[in-house]
């Protein structure tokens, strides 16, 4: 079993829908949680990050962390075709190490 | 707009040949990472350096892979001899901490 599990999708939604992307993890030491977005034939780019539990909002994006359930989510409101990409979650146990453990990514398609 | 650059972008080679991939990290970043991405395994960390010193290469097949940073502006990943199972996209990333990993565009390697 992998340390970080992520549904590969694909997830197909109409423009304007609310999208929920999720990851589960097994290592209770994880404290830093990130979401990356990867467009086709591009490198991943950091979208959002959170430390420990709680919510963080940035425009149309909201990241949630539930450490008790070992579950993190990324919500996208008013989804746009430009949001079509693969979304990867990533986690780290400590700020003293740069090592990230990535999920395999969820492919999202937003159709007009 | 500072970016991580990688060469070549695409590489097709035959089994048994040597492959060298190069990365120029963002100026001032002290940490450099090499990742491999496949559909099945997702993003896997192969090795990383801090201030040019190798910190962790546990994700790398030691018998055929090697990673070096001859200077602060160049990181290399070499595969010798290459095998079909090495076919993947190889990403270099640079950063200054767990939140700040900036990825290059990747090298798409195909070993026939």
């Amino acid at each position: 079993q992998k340390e970080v599990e992520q549904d590969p999708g694909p997830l197909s939604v109409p423009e304007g829908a609310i999208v929920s992307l999720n990851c589960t993890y097994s290592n209770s030491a994880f404290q830093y949680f990130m979401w990356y977005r990867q467009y086709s034939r591009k490198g991943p780019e950091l979208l959002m990050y959170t430390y420990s539990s709680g919510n963080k909002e940035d425009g149309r994006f909201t990241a949630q962390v539930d450490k008790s359930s070992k579950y993190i989510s990324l919500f996208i409101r008013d989804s746009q075709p430009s949001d079509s990409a693969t979304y990867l979650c990533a986690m780290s146990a400590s700020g003293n190490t740069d090592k990230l453990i990535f999920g395999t990514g969820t492919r999202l398609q937003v159709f007009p | 707009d500072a970016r991580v650059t990688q060469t070549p972008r695409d590489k097709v080679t035959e089994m048994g040949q040597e492959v060298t991939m190069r990365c120029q990290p963002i100026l001032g970043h002290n940490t450099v990472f090499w990742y491999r991405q496949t559909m099945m395994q997702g993003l896997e960390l192969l090795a990383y350096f801090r201030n040019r010193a190798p910190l962790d290469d546990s994700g790398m097949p030691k018998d055929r892979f090697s990673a070096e940073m001859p200077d602060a502006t160049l990181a290399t990943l070499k595969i010798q001899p290459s095998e079909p199972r090495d076919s993947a996209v190889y990403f270099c990333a640079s950063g200054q901490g767990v939140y700040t990993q900036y990825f290059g565009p990747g090298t798409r390697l195909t070993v026939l």
Side-chain angles (χ1 to χ4, degrees), chain A residues 4 13 21-23 25-26 61 67 71 76 78 80 82 92 97:
Chain A
V4 179
V13 301
L21 304 166
N22 312 295
C23 287
Y25 62 94
S26 57
F61 298 89
K67 290 190 71 180
Y71 188 87
I76 307 174
D78 188 24
Q80 303 294 309
S82 59
S92 177
T97 176

Side-chain angles (χ1 to χ4, degrees), chain B residues 8-64:
Chain B
R9 291 295 312 275
D10 289 277
K11 176 72 176 179
V12 180
T13 191
E14 292 187 349
M15 182 173 62
Q17 296 297 306
E18 178 179 298
V19 175
T20 299
M21 291 169 268
R22 293 177 174 81
C23 166
Q24 183 172 10
I26 293 173
L27 190 64
H29 284 184
N30 65 349
T31 314
V32 175
F33 307 82
W34 281 106
Y35 289 92
R36 175 171 63 186
Q37 187 175 42
T38 60
M39 290 292 291
M40 291 299 295
Q41 299 297 326
L43 261 177
E44 301 174 285
L45 179 66
L46 296 175
Y48 80 103
F49 298 78
R50 182 177 293 143
N51 297 322
R52 295 177 55 202
L55 283 192
D56 188 339
D57 62 0
S58 59
M60 205 163 62
K62 302 289 193 306
D63 56 339
R64 299 183 300 107

